[in-house]
Amino acid sequence: MGAALAALAAPLFKVLLMYCLHHILRALLLLLGMASAALAGPYEEALPKFANDSYADTDAAIGAVASSGNPLAVDVVEALRDGRLLIGSGQVFIRRSSGELINAATGQAWGSPAGELKPVRINNRLRRAIEAALGNLTLLSPDAGRRLEAARAVFRSRDEAVLPTLEKAIAQESQAHVRNALENARAAILLSQLDALPMQRLGAIETLEARGDQDALALLSNLPPDATPEMKAGAGKAVAGIHTRLALWEAVQNVWYGISLGSVLLLAAIGLAITFGTMGVINMAHGEMVMLGAYTTFVVQEIIRAYAPGLFGASLFIALPLAFLVAGAVGVLIERTVIRFLYGRPLETLLATWGISLILQQGVRTIFGPTNREVGTPAWMSGALEVGAMSLTYNRIAIVVFAFSVFAVLLLVLRYTSLGLYVRAVTQNRRMAGSMGIRTNRIDALAFGLGSGVAGIAGVALSQIDNVSPNLGQGYIIDSFMVVVFGGVGNLWGTLVGAMTLGIANKLLEPYAGAVLGKIVLLIAIILFIQRRPRGLFALKGRAVEA
Amino acid sequence: MSIFTMTRRNLVALTAAALVSGATLQAARAEETIKVGVLHSLSGTMAISETTLKDVMLMLVEEQNKKGGLLGRKLEAVVVDPASNWPLFAEKARELISQHKVSAVFGAWTSVSRKSVLPVFKELNSILFYPVQYEGEESERNVFYTGAAPNQQAIPAVDYLAKEEKVERWVLAGTDYVYPRTTNKILEAYLKSKGVKAEDIMISYTPFGHSDWQTIVADIKKFGSSGKKTAVVSTINGDANVPFYKELANQGVKATDIPVVAFSVGEEELAGIDTKPLVGHLAAWNYFQSVETPENKAFIEKWKTFTKNAKRVSNDPMEAHVIGFNMWVKAVEKAGTTDPDKVIDAIVGIQVPNLTGGVSEMLPNHHITKPVLIGEIKEDGQFDTVWQTDGLVSGDAWSKHLDGSKDLIADWQTLKCGNYNTVTKKCGS
Amino acid sequence: MRTQSFFDRQTTLVLSLLAAVAILVPSMNGLAAPGSALHLSDHLVPLLGKYVCFALLALSVDLIWGFCGILSLGHGAFFALGGYAMGMHLMRQIGPRGVYGDPILPDFMVFLNWKELPWFWHGFDSFPFAVLMVLLVPGALAFVFGWFAFRSRVTGVYLSIITQAMTFALMLAFFRNDMGLGGNNGLTDFKEILGFTVQAGSTRIVLFVLSVLALAGGYLLCRWVVGSTFGKVLVAVRDAESRTRFLGYRVEHYKLVVFTLSAMLAGIAGALYVPQVGIINPSEFAPAGSIEVVIWVAVGGRGTLAGPILGALLVNAGKTWFTAALPEFWLFALGGLFVFVTIFMPRGILGAVGDLWERSSQRFRSGRQPQPVTHAAE
């Protein structure tokens, strides 16, 4: 019992102690602030410059604040970066993320409402100055992430004045990757520092050679004019090495771009592989199903923004089933009202579905307006993963993974579910399937709904990389047909191989031929390929061919 | 009108009765109102940008009517849809002028649509106000260019980057059509005249609606990591911008590293993008919605009321229509008639206040004076004006930086010529 | 046979209507005083001329789709190529009257710093050469394309999709400014044709009459082709390709000839279209445009020759009216038309009329009728 009480009390006590300490510290800080206000050091002299609304003055103020050593300096610079540094009646305030206002000069809370306060404006040059200042200020931060960021900022700014702090940071750094970044930053400074020891500068060249990326290349190819012959030789060797390495990575990167473009094509085409491939319906409204999926995502995000902003990160997952349902339902509707009258007349399904696509486009234009709609990217899909000398952006990784998952699921559905069995049966021999008791009408509707639904979820993914506008679908329809026809109709594997081949070929051609010529070359290649193999890569064999 | 009646009957009735009834109907109505043609696509790929301009025109006409109309008559807007189809632009222009007898037309978007309607306006001697920034190299008697010429947008933007951001290396990225091609030609010549070396300029063209920017953004990154400060000058057209900016953001190209200055990205385009990762990228225009002037405030107020949408944004081509419309109204009042010849003569020298606090004037070369503003994208999709020209800049019809056009000037007031060669002292060669 | 006489009456009717139009339009425009009830206003002449060119294009699609079962979704490409050939001639005719006054180079080359005329522009200053190219370029493309496609027995949907790929690739290519054909702006600002000002009313009338004559000529040619033995084989190919092949006909040769012929007709339509609308640009290659042509044919009635003419006129007149009166609803109307026609009028307006005709004649003499159109097998 007692032990339990003690166990409870201990953290409570800790919290109390922390609270007291915090307040004492704050009081001390305040005192310090007032004292220094009375003294009017460089910090206090610099602050009013923010109120001048002149970029040059703000620039000077950033430098002065950052080098003042005042404990509020980091807060001020960060607030400036985030647009939370406010000016009003000649005084400067910081708005905390909680909304609380603080007088930047004293650190005291400022109760009065933010009536006539305006944020200090910044431009790109100032953003760079802020970044550099923050880098210098946070090199010794207790947070490893911030130290890493600081190291990168110093690498970019190459501010010689920060070298002593940098040495100190390297000496006490415990995490290898942060230390590496810090050493890189030091190397970048040393390389251009005229009074550094030759040994140090040669060491810097080695460090940069090990780094081996574009930035290192840039530093090494622009040696300062005083470089010694040894340095030049070392740098020359390093540059050659980095070039080879980068060329290798570039090839890998192009293949990756190809895979990611292939995944986009796969997503766009896979629904078509079902409606066109297995049902023989030339669904020109396929692209509009993709568009409906993208607009569903937009609507879901709008609702989330309005009612549950916390769910934003999950918005795409919420949108997926809804997009499937919306596009699938429209698909079933189209099948029941139009397509079922046209089975056996594939060329006429083309015309009718083209008409439907025009109606859907104009419908969406009427409802949502002709302009692009904003679909946000959840935080977990922003940014990039650095692998070697290439960056894989998270949204592309997500799309590649997603495309393959959709493919796998679809394959399993067709292979192992009764719906899949029926669909395959109807595809292979409609009359026989009917005689076996399969309701072919129903299967047609469901299969068309499935294909359209898959197009809908493709729309969710494509909303992340393309415009969400009424024309969204138009951009994909021809490519989708090329993929399906190239891969071979009636075969999902063909669609996969077709999409990847076209994607990778396109991206490998692009650096040489340019985006347009590359695409033209590919189209011609497909036309010629169809002449050789009129039924695509993976052609169905046997009786189904003549059906 | 006449065509409608035609379709209701069958093919045989292609001829007489239908056409006749249409012709008489419109003759009877001709004197009632002053008609203003609105020639903007409401469907097709360009509808994205043009629908807004149609709404602006409707608002301006409504407002003018509230003020009592023009010359004691009401104005009437005639809206047609050229459906982003260039030959249809010419056909619709002809219809507006010949059939609806409009006094002036406000419209067209992109150079090709303007080039398509040009012969029609010349032949039927009517007036076109073209509200979009364009490549210059043109001055026609019947056309008034209220958008920016390259020297009112591109060159000041490059000057700003070179001066303020110390940019030494340039990527000129554009969609493959005439506006980017010409603008980049002018910029290339201009940069070289400022001492930029050929290897420090990278030019890249992409097709319309390009959506896969991975390779190009990677190239830009590579080009920009040479140690010299690099910037991208983007003349990428509307639709392709969203994926372009998304790719930039994802590959971590920040405005502080490689700023992008765009000439075709305004508030309307940004409304379709999540702008947080784009903060700091730039655009050069002659107007921003965020400009704080009483005129602009009043305009935005009216615009939001008219569209019944508090989120509707305003942009540069809209302001161009506002200026163009007000100039036309003043010119008609001055001439006392809507007769195109008289209006064309009267409008040169007309001054109207623009929305950014200055007074724009119609120049003899049929371009107008405008301020140039450089804005940085803010988190809310608006622009923060970081720089602007001291006064207004006069639009040049012919670029001083291109071999073919450096000797040409346009003057419809005294020389009565759109392409007067100052060397040979002749009009037209 | 009744079908035969139906066609014969149709031919007479079509030709007399076209003759009436060719006489009435100029006289109503030129002779009737402006303002009089019979006057046809100036802006309608090129508009009608445009419709007539579209009708010729639709006719060329009907020749291969309606009679040989080849659904081309790329016929816009042949139309545009013919148009470009004519456009290039008209550009060369501008001579030193361009804004830069360059005697040789078109304006767009001057401001993009081209120094000399690309090789493929040579010869276009001569009108006969240009006319030859109007026929040869689309014809050659169709021949090469058809040679490969028909030889390897690419049929049905696959053929449709690769024709679409063809026109799409051409569109991308022509959009490139490096092609030397004006890029997105295309060719425009024409001055004169054979010495006559393009914008002049009289030139317009002549072009209009020429278009009507070309349409009449095209109609007669198609009529002759489908009426000949050659035409019978085409219909056999449409209805049962394998069977025809087994009977010993070289199916691919028949297809190739008719495909090339059709492409040349489309080229002529394009060449007549360009001086009347005053611009040719790559959007004419857009796949959507070619699909629209197919719908004109479907609306009018494929396999009837007169049907596509009617369809092209009706749909385009509808487009002109809708885009002015109800701009927002144009796509709804067009889309609805596509769906309606394919479901409820699979044989188009003339097909339905033909059915009525036959049904009424059957009352007089019963007997089996050869079906003029069957739903073509894939």
Side-chain angles (χ1 to χ4, degrees), chain C residues 70-192:
Chain C
I70 305 169
L71 176 55
S72 164
L73 294 184
H75 247 54
F78 304 123
F79 180 81
L81 285 174
Y84 263 98
M86 180 54 77
M88 285 162 84
H89 171 67
L90 295 175
M91 286 309 272
R92 294 300 308 272
Q93 289 296 298
I94 296 174
R97 281 166 295 179
V99 291
Y100 299 101
D102 191 301
I104 309 269
L105 296 183
D107 285 343
F108 69 87
M109 292 191 189
V110 178
F111 72 68
L112 292 178
N113 282 348
W114 290 59
K115 294 296 171 221
E116 57 185 89
L117 210 58
W119 60 270
F120 50 83
W121 275 81
H122 290 288
F124 277 97
D125 44 341
S126 131
F127 185 74
F129 179 82
V131 171
L132 196 66
M133 286 300 128
V134 164
L135 293 172
L136 276 189
V137 174
L141 175 67
F143 186 83
V144 173
F145 186 88
W147 172 268
F148 282 112
F150 300 135
R151 201 191 45 170
S152 47
R153 299 187 192 169
V154 181
T155 52
V157 177
Y158 298 88
L159 188 82
S160 302
I161 288 173
I162 61 169
T163 50
Q164 195 174 35
M166 174 191 77
T167 193
F168 187 58
L170 279 169
M171 180 178 81
L172 291 178
F174 274 71
F175 262 127
R176 299 179 65 241
N177 274 286
D178 295 333
M179 274 285 278
L181 287 167
N184 179 44
N185 272 19
L187 310 176
T188 180
D189 205 17
F190 308 131
K191 305 279 191 238
E192 55 189 42

Side-chain angles (χ1 to χ4, degrees), chain B residues 397-418:
Chain B
W398 303 98
S399 174
K400 297 182 186 78
H401 304 284
L402 290 182
D403 282 345
S405 65
K406 61 173 188 269
D407 300 327
L408 297 179
I409 55 163
D411 183 345
W412 290 105
Q413 203 168 34
T414 48
L415 296 171
K416 304 276 178 213
C417 177

Side-chain angles (χ1 to χ4, degrees), chain A residues 297-298 301-302 305 312 315-316 373-379 381-382 460 463-464 468, chain B residues 246 272-276:
Chain A
T297 318
F298 164 71
Q301 287 200 348
E302 283 296 289
R305 278 199 188 109
F312 193 76
S315 60
L316 295 186
R373 289 293 163 166
E374 179 189 335
V375 172
T377 307
M381 268 179 90
S382 319
V460 178
S463 73
Q464 289 301 308
V468 178
Chain B
K246 281 188 178 173
I273 322 182
D274 180 9
T275 45
K276 280 179 210 73

Side-chain angles (χ1 to χ4, degrees), chain B residues 102-157:
Chain B
V102 297
S103 303
V105 176
F106 292 80
W109 181 275
T110 73
S111 291
V112 56
S113 64
R114 192 189 64 250
K115 294 269 185 206
S116 163
V117 298
L118 251 183
V120 179
F121 281 90
K122 280 200 271 187
E123 177 198 342
L124 302 175
N125 192 25
S126 185
I127 300 176
L128 171 70
F129 284 86
Y130 178 70
V132 193
Q133 84 281 13
Y134 85 118
E135 67 278 1
E137 302 295 294
E138 189 183 294
S139 176
E140 293 288 346
R141 181 172 175 270
N142 302 88
V143 184
F144 295 94
Y145 308 82
T146 50
N151 72 315
Q152 290 174 309
Q153 196 182 18
I155 289 186

